[in-house]
Amino acid sequence: MARERKVTINVIAAEAGVSVPTVSRVLNGRSDVSPTTRARIEALLAQHGYQRRGSRRGEHAGLVDLVFNDLDSPWAVEIIRGVEDVAHAAQVGTVVSAIHRHSAATRQWLDNLRARKSDGVILVTSTLQPGHQAELRRLNVPAVVIDPAGGPALEVPTIGATNWAGGRAATEHLTSLGHRRIGFIAGPTSLLCSRARLDGYRAALDAAGLPVSDELVQPGDFYHESGFRGATALMSLPEPPTAIFASSDQMAFGVYEGLRQRGLRVPDDVSVVGFDDLPEARWASPPLTTVRQPLAEMGTLAARMLLRLSRGEENDSPRVELATDLIVRNSTAPL
C-alpha cells in the first residue's frame, strides 16, 4: 500500500537528476522522455509513494478557494474578475475569503476548507504559518500563490509581476523629464513586490547618477491614507521633491489630496506616478501616469494553473512573472 505522499515533484526531480518538467511529462504519460529516464523517475515515484494531486477524491467538488488578507482594495476586485472568468468557463464555483491577517480567521477558513472539500486554493499576498501549510499538504489540496508575501514559502507555483522593472521604469520616466529629487512612498516591507518596487526605484536613480536619499523614501501600506501622510512628510522637507512615485495607485490618489491641501497642482508643481493601473486611474483628475500591473491576467493564470493541478497535472514552471507596462497620462510633466 502506497505511503502518504511526503515529497513534491521538485524532490523527485532533484533525486532523479532531471528537471521538474521532465517529471511532469512522465506523470502525464507523455512519450518525449527516454526509457532509461522514465524508468528512473517511475522507480522514485513508487519508492516515495507519490500520489497525483487529483487522486484524493473520486470526483471534484467543483469549488476553488480564493483567499485574501483583506478585501477592501480595488485591486482585489481585478484579481477576482480574472479568477471568475476561468472558473465560470470551467463550471467551477469560487469561494472568496478574507483572513484579515488573524490566526483565528485563518483557522476558521481551514476548517471550512476541510468541510467543503475544495478542489484547490489561490492565496493572494497571504502568509500561512508552517502548521497551516502542513495542513494543506495533509488535505492534499493544491494551491497557487499570487504575489507571495515573502514568509516561509509553500511548495506551490507562484505568480507575480515584474515589480522591479516596473519600479525602475516609473522612476526613469521621471528622471527623463528632468526631475532630480523624486520622492518614493513604499508598500508594506513584508511583501516581496513592495521591496522589488523600491529596489527598482533605487536602481533607476543610481543609473541616472542621482543619490538615493533616505529622507525621500516614506513608508506606506498601499492605502490612500498612507499616500496622504507620505506626501505631507515629503513636501514638508526643507528641499521637497518635484516628483513623487507612489508604489500603488491608491497611495497616489492620497498623494493627490495631500498636494491639493497644500495648494499644489499636479503636474504643474509636482509630478505623480502610481502603480497598478486600477480602472480609477484613467478617471482621476488629472489622469494618473502609472505602471500597469496585469492583475486580472494574474488571476486568470492562477485559476488555470490551479485547475490543472486539481486534475492531477503539473505546471511546467514553478514561478511566473507577467510583464508590467508604464502608462503615461497627464500627472507627469517636465520639470
Side-chain angles (χ1 to χ4, degrees), residues 84-109:
E84 272 287 295
D85 284 347
V86 174
H88 178 75
Q91 297 184 317
V92 171
T94 306
V95 179
V96 180
S97 304
I99 57 177
H100 307 291
R101 299 180 177 86
H102 297 153
S103 58
T106 304
R107 179 73 265 165
Q108 182 180 7
W109 166 69

Side-chain angles (χ1 to χ4, degrees), residues 19-42:
S19 67
V20 169
T22 299
V23 179
S24 178
R25 287 193 286 271
V26 171
L27 285 167
N28 292 323
R30 288 174 45 178
S31 60
D32 50 344
V33 180
S34 71
T36 303
T37 300
R38 180 183 301 278
R40 184 165 70 252
I41 292 171
E42 288 178 342

